[in-house]
Amino acid sequence: MILQAVRTDRHECCARFSALIQAGLLCLGLSACSDPEPPGTESETPVGSPPTLLVDHRASPAARALWTNLNEIRAESVLFGHQDSLAYGVKWRNEAERSDVRDVTGDYPAVFGWDVGNLELGHEVNLDGVSFEKMQGWIKTGYQNGSVITISWHMNHPATEEPAWETSPGVSAILPEGVAHEDFKAYLDLFAEFVRGLEVKSSDGGTELVPIIFRPWHEHNGDWFWWGTRHTTEREFIELWRFTVDYLRDDQQLHNLIYAFSPDRSRINVDEFSADYLYGYPGDDYVDILGLDNYWDLGHSANEASVEQQQEDFVSSLSELVKLAEQKFKIPAMTEGGQDTLFNSNFWTEQLLAGLMANEYSKQIAYVLVWRNANREQEGKDHFYAPYTGHESADDFIEFYQYPATLFQSDLPPLYEQK
Ligand code: BMA
């Protein structure tokens, strides 16, 4: 039964899966294979268009191309990403076209991460002081130069306007029956307005919205955000995720979003990876990218395991993530992470690259995004994940940059064109 329900486009699209299909290993109990089309969407896909594999069956051609191309090139390469890269660095701010990554390597990241926390409060700058207007400009430039854009959201609570880290109340207040549901929808409306501002010229002479890998409600398996465990039940979390997707896709009609799910590694036992990883999983119809936030195995201050054990766990986490993603026809990615302040000067080759290149599975991770380089003067502390000029790990980072499999902006093939 299930085999009969497999849509042929899935076969055609992913040559990498065909060997498995021939071997009879696929589609045994995988819900992605049997998920029904939402009513009325299949017929709207123009004949001859690329196969639709995304949460949004009406995703824009550029968004579909991005997913398909990322899925293809991950076999050979891994894209390097950096949060807030163009907005500030450890020793600079408000300088056009600068990035600590570029200062060290001469190249920009292949993935630019941004966060829209505080957009919902009507602020002009995000929770880390980045102007939303400038962010829109950087997103467009990053896209026009061929890089990938991803957005996370440290959302204040709609009922209290308290920061993401203020854990009370949890999610129930903002679900459809909750007292703050309309406030929550108003937050999503502001996000939709921001996204609609990401309009660029398309190759056919019209306009289109920059494709965005949207990563809401991250690290929900931890207890540090109000949408996390202890403040929100698993059922509530799933409802929250599905509502968010349904609202942005169907009510707001945004068709440039690719949805990434990203639990935190610290709350996953690598020996029980799938079971722990899938806590709060909203279903294959609601997720395009299986992400993992991993600071834990890369020298997190609270991790008491030996360096060797952490590296072993790092490899396991990446490998298990890839296996799970491939079963589900999703793209695996390390959506956030790194080593705060880079105290190992060989971090890039000894830890990150060694982990990524460890085996045939870990090599299939599509991208890695390291977190932001806080401005030392403005924030009064050291909190950075990419090296800056003169930092002890800069030479090692150049080695990471030069390694053939790591892709930075100038290495990228056209990601937004369907082949
Ligand atoms: C955290 C830290 C905070 C920051 C937040 C949102 O990991 O970097 O300083 O405010 O992310 O970017």
Side-chain angles (χ1 to χ4, degrees):
M1 270 301 285
I2 292 170
L3 275 173
Q4 281 167 3
V6 174
R7 296 191 350 246
T8 50
D9 57 14
R10 294 191 191 279
H11 291 194
E12 285 156 15
C13 159
C14 303
R16 58 186 302 123
F17 294 126
S18 62
L20 289 172
I21 290 166
Q22 278 158 20
L25 294 175
L26 270 183
C27 299
L28 298 172
L30 301 180
S31 60
C33 297
S34 54
D35 289 341
E37 295 276 353
T41 51
E42 200 163 31
S43 59
E44 290 167 29
T45 306
V47 175
S49 68
T52 302
L53 293 163
L54 298 179
V55 163
D56 186 348
H57 291 242
R58 296 171 64 194
S60 66
R64 283 186 293 181
L66 174 61
W67 191 94
T68 308
N69 289 322
L70 272 181
N71 194 40
E72 196 176 306
I73 64 171
R74 73 185 174 83
E76 307 291 334
S77 335
V78 56
L79 277 62
F80 176 78
H82 187 209
Q83 183 75 3
D84 284 354
S85 206
L86 300 170
Y88 52 83
V90 174
K91 297 183 179 177
W92 60 271
R93 50 199 155 118
N94 301 324
E95 286 186 49
E97 298 182 14
R98 198 164 171 191
S99 148
D100 281 346
V101 170
R102 188 189 183 208
D103 281 358
V104 175
T105 64
D107 205 347
Y108 289 112
V111 180
F112 288 109
W114 300 102
D115 193 282
V116 292
N118 285 5
L119 179 75
E120 67 280 6
L121 301 184
H123 292 187
E124 287 183 1
V125 299
N126 84 348
L127 73 171
D128 299 313
V130 180
S131 143
F132 286 115
E133 201 181 328
K134 286 188 181 167
M135 193 188 289
Q136 285 177 313
W138 286 318
I139 288 173
K140 291 181 197 175
T141 309
Y143 163 77
Q144 279 154 345
N145 289 331
S147 286
V148 176
I149 311 297
T150 179
I151 293 182
S152 55
W153 194 349
H154 285 82
M155 189 196 283
N156 294 268
H157 197 290
T160 61
E161 297 195 353
E162 295 290 338
W165 294 268
E166 291 296 330
T167 50
S168 179
V171 158
S172 61
I174 69 171
L175 293 175
E177 305 301 318
V179 288
H181 183 61
E182 293 305 315
D183 302 293
F184 174 45
K185 284 208 299 196
Y187 282 11
L188 293 177
D189 292 343
L190 285 172
F191 176 70
E193 195 180 309
F194 176 86
V195 171
R196 268 191 275 277
L198 301 174
E199 197 172 67
V200 284
K201 285 211 172 74
S202 57
S203 49
D204 64 6
T207 58
E208 64 187 341
L209 298 183
V210 173
I212 301 293
I213 296 177
F214 182 43
R215 190 170 65 90
W217 316 127
H218 64 298
E219 300 169 10
H220 65 286
N221 58 341
D223 58 3
W224 45 89
F225 297 133
W226 52 260
W227 57 87
T229 53
R230 296 209 296 123
H231 327 294
T232 294
T233 66
E234 184 172 21
R235 181 176 286 271
E236 286 166 353
F237 180 79
I238 290 172
E239 201 180 331
L240 172 70
W241 183 285
R242 291 182 179 172
F243 181 85
T244 305
V245 171
D246 290 342
Y247 190 78
L248 295 175
R249 182 191 57 195
D250 304 336
D251 293 69
Q252 286 293 346
Q253 290 286 315
L254 292 176
H255 298 298
N256 60 325
L257 303 181
I258 293 175
Y259 294 89
F261 177 76
S262 58
D264 193 80
R265 155 66 185 107
S266 67
R267 298 300 196 269
I268 293 172
N269 174 351
V270 286
D271 298 324
E272 306 280 344
F273 187 87
S274 293
D276 285 359
Y277 180 90
L278 293 173
Y279 170 82
Y281 187 65
D284 293 343
D285 285 348
Y286 280 90
V287 173
D288 296 309
I289 292 186
L290 291 196
L292 183 67
D293 288 13
N294 198 341
Y295 297 92
W296 189 248
D297 297 322
L298 297 173
H300 190 282
S301 56
N303 190 346
E304 291 173 358
S306 66
V307 173
E308 294 74 24
Q309 184 63 50
Q310 290 191 31
Q311 189 66 11
E312 203 178 297
D313 291 345
F314 181 48
V315 172
S316 301
S317 74
L318 299 179
S319 316
E320 294 306 311
L321 179 68
V322 169
K323 288 179 203 169
L324 188 61
E326 296 204 337
Q327 279 172 19
K328 291 180 169 295
F329 299 97
K330 309 295 178 191
I331 292 179
M334 192 175 120
T335 35
E336 211 188 285
Q339 184 176 80
D340 197 1
T341 70
L342 289 166
F343 49 84
N344 174 9
S345 58
N346 291 328
F347 169 79
W348 302 100
T349 55
E350 270 177 13
Q351 292 181 257
L352 188 59
L353 189 61
L356 288 164
M357 295 300 136
N359 62 47
E360 59 178 310
Y361 297 108
S362 61
K363 282 183 182 158
Q364 308 281 321
I365 294 284
Y367 66 87
V368 164
L369 179 114
V370 301
W371 204 238
R372 62 197 196 95
N373 278 16
N375 182 262
R376 188 177 281 165
E377 195 184 324
Q378 185 167 300
E379 304 201 24
K381 63 178 179 191
D382 269 0
H383 174 54
F384 58 88
Y385 294 83
Y388 51 87
T389 308
H391 184 265
E392 293 87 50
S393 79
D395 288 347
D396 191 55
F397 188 58
I398 292 171
E399 215 173 299
F400 174 86
Y401 166 70
Q402 287 170 340
Y403 189 81
T406 59
L407 302 188
F408 286 61
Q409 186 177 77
S410 70
D411 303 317
L412 290 170
L415 292 174
Y416 298 100
E417 288 166 26
Q418 197 69 245
K419 283 192 211 110

